[in-house]
Amino acid sequence: MEDDALPEDLRQVIGELVRAVRAADTMSPGEAAVLGHLDRGGPQTTADLAHLRGVTHQAAAKSVKELTGNGLVRAEPHPTDGRKLLLHITDAGRARLERERAQRADWLDTAIRDALSPDERRQLRECVPLLARLVTRITGQ
């Protein structure tokens, strides 16, 4: 028999997990998301980043301004549209993003080891490909 509560239970617990893991972050979620998109997807415009994040252009521009001011992102003229700027992650931005990711992973690793038995950790490991398939199905990527 199908579990009608599974989708909502999964959505809720994954949301809580994401929020809990973000507690280890030292930068805002918006700034971390911008750096992540630039790291994974290469140079983007502010409009591209806003679309990818599902936020307003103004919200993306605020994050970009902060990151640029801190030397984590640099802007250069767009090669085909002089009205736009193409944003690049800098070496300092990539290093900061890697530190954030490592800190988050270490924090989560400690929580997993403290809270779960070896058998439970194995079960959790087996769930990761299932969750990845769900993400692919939902996003089409």
Side-chain angles (χ1 to χ4, degrees):
M1 179 173 165
E2 290 294 316
D3 184 351
D4 292 334
L6 178 60
E8 179 57 22
D9 291 347
L10 187 59
R11 185 202 61 77
Q12 184 175 355
V13 77
I14 288 174
E16 290 172 5
L17 177 64
V18 168
R19 285 186 292 281
V21 170
R22 282 186 182 151
D25 290 350
T26 61
M27 63 189 330
S28 78
E31 291 172 15
V34 167
L35 288 180
H37 283 298
L38 293 175
D39 182 52
R40 289 186 305 275
Q44 309 278 333
T45 65
T46 301
D48 294 333
L49 292 166
H51 176 74
L52 288 167
R53 292 188 49 226
V55 299
T56 65
H57 188 277
Q58 291 81 0
K62 181 180 177 192
S63 294
V64 166
K65 182 178 179 181
E66 186 71 23
L67 292 165
T68 302
N70 290 327
L72 304 177
V73 167
R74 68 177 169 79
E76 65 181 36
H78 194 283
T80 60
D81 187 341
R83 300 167 298 169
K84 298 179 182 179
L85 292 174
L86 202 54
L87 304 167
H88 300 259
I89 189 170
T90 65
D91 289 343
R94 188 165 284 108
R96 175 74 186 271
L97 182 61
E98 288 172 7
R99 284 193 309 273
E100 286 287 315
R101 288 173 173 165
Q103 182 173 319
R104 194 180 300 147
D106 287 346
W107 191 85
L108 186 54
D109 182 58
T110 298
I112 289 169
R113 290 185 186 285
D114 288 351
L116 304 178
S117 70
D119 187 54
E120 289 169 327
R121 291 194 299 268
R122 182 193 54 75
Q123 290 175 36
L124 184 60
R125 164 52 63 204
E126 291 173 357
C127 291
V128 172
L130 299 176
L131 294 171
R133 281 189 10 222
L134 286 175
V135 169
T136 299
R137 172 63 175 90
I138 292 167
T139 64
Q141 298 176 7

